[in-house]
Amino acid sequence: MPIKNPDGSTFQVSGSLTQFDPTNLEHELFNLWDQEVIEIGGTPLYYYDIFINANDIDEVYVEARNKIYSPCPICIYGYYDPIPSSNMLGSFGIDSPDEIMFEFNLRHVKKTIGHLPKIGARIHSPHKNEDWQVIQRNVEVFKLWGELRLQVMCIRFQESLTTG
C-alpha cells in the first residue's frame, strides 16, 4: 500500500527534501559571508607548499630529509590567537612545544591553494614573524549540510640544515 498525500496523490520521496540539496545556492551565500568575516576580522597568512620525493622517505623515521618548500607563498586569510613563546628545558636541551590553531574558510582555501593544506607544509604569520608547520587539519563548522570552516593545527617550525 503506497503512502498518500492529504489530497490523495501518491507521496514521492525524491525531490521533496530540498534542504539536503548539495547544489543549494545558500551554501554559496554562507561561504561568501564567512570569507568576508574572516578577511575583516582575521589576518593574512602565507602558506608555503611542501614537495616530497616519495622515493626518498626514510623507512625508520618516516620522513624525507630532502623535502623542498615552495619559494612563492600563497596568501590566505585566517583567524588565530598569537601565543607567547615558551622554551622548556628538557633532557635533550631546549624544546619549544608551542601549538597553534589557524581557522580558515574551507572553500576559499581549496580555491586559493588548489587543495587542502598538506601535512608538513609551512604557514608564516606576519604579525609576530613566526613560521609554523602543519600537523593536522579538521573540517569544523557545518551549515545546511555543507562544510564551512577548516581548522589547521600547527607546531612551531624548527629550522635545520635541510630546511634552512
Side-chain angles (χ1 to χ4, degrees):
M1 179 88 184
I3 300 174
K4 301 284 185 179
N5 289 326
D7 63 356
S9 62
T10 304
F11 178 76
Q12 294 181 354
V13 177
S14 65
S16 65
L17 300 175
T18 56
Q19 70 214 33
F20 301 107
D21 182 15
T23 61
N24 189 344
L25 294 177
E26 291 179 10
H27 290 285
E28 185 69 22
L29 179 64
F30 274 115
N31 274 307
L32 289 173
W33 170 79
D34 187 53
Q35 182 57 31
E36 186 174 337
V37 167
I38 289 175
E39 286 182 11
I40 290 171
T43 181
L45 298 163
Y46 298 100
Y47 172 80
Y48 292 88
D49 213 351
I50 187 170
F51 305 106
I52 297 176
N53 182 0
N55 297 329
D56 197 35
I57 296 177
D58 188 292
E59 294 178 12
V60 176
Y61 296 109
V62 193
E63 67 177 17
R65 289 187 56 91
N66 65 348
K67 55 187 167 253
I68 299 171
Y69 292 96
S70 172
C72 303
I74 300 170
C75 181
I76 51 179
Y77 284 85
Y79 285 135
Y80 77 101
D81 290 325
I83 57 172
S85 297
S86 62
N87 292 325
M88 297 174 24
L89 186 58
S91 59
F92 296 109
I94 294 177
D95 188 23
S96 182
D98 298 336
E99 287 186 350
I100 195 166
M101 179 75 73
F102 293 102
E103 216 171 293
F104 304 101
N105 177 272
L106 178 66
R107 188 190 61 131
H108 176 72
V109 168
K110 283 183 177 178
K111 185 174 129 187
T112 306
I113 298 175
H115 53 79
L116 289 175
K118 294 178 184 175
I119 304 297
R122 287 171 48 187
I123 295 177
H124 177 76
S125 58
H127 173 66
K128 292 181 66 183
N129 199 22
E130 297 173 319
D131 286 311
W132 301 91
Q133 185 175 11
V134 177
I135 59 169
Q136 183 179 344
R137 18 170 234 233
N138 302 322
V139 177
E140 190 58 34
V141 178
F142 302 93
K143 293 285 185 206
L144 296 173
W145 294 88
E147 301 163 339
L148 190 61
R149 288 279 176 100
L150 173 69
Q151 287 186 339
V152 178
M153 176 70 81
C154 297
I155 58 172
R156 193 174 297 279
F157 180 74
Q158 298 288 335
E159 293 285 344
S160 68
L161 290 175
T162 58
T163 61

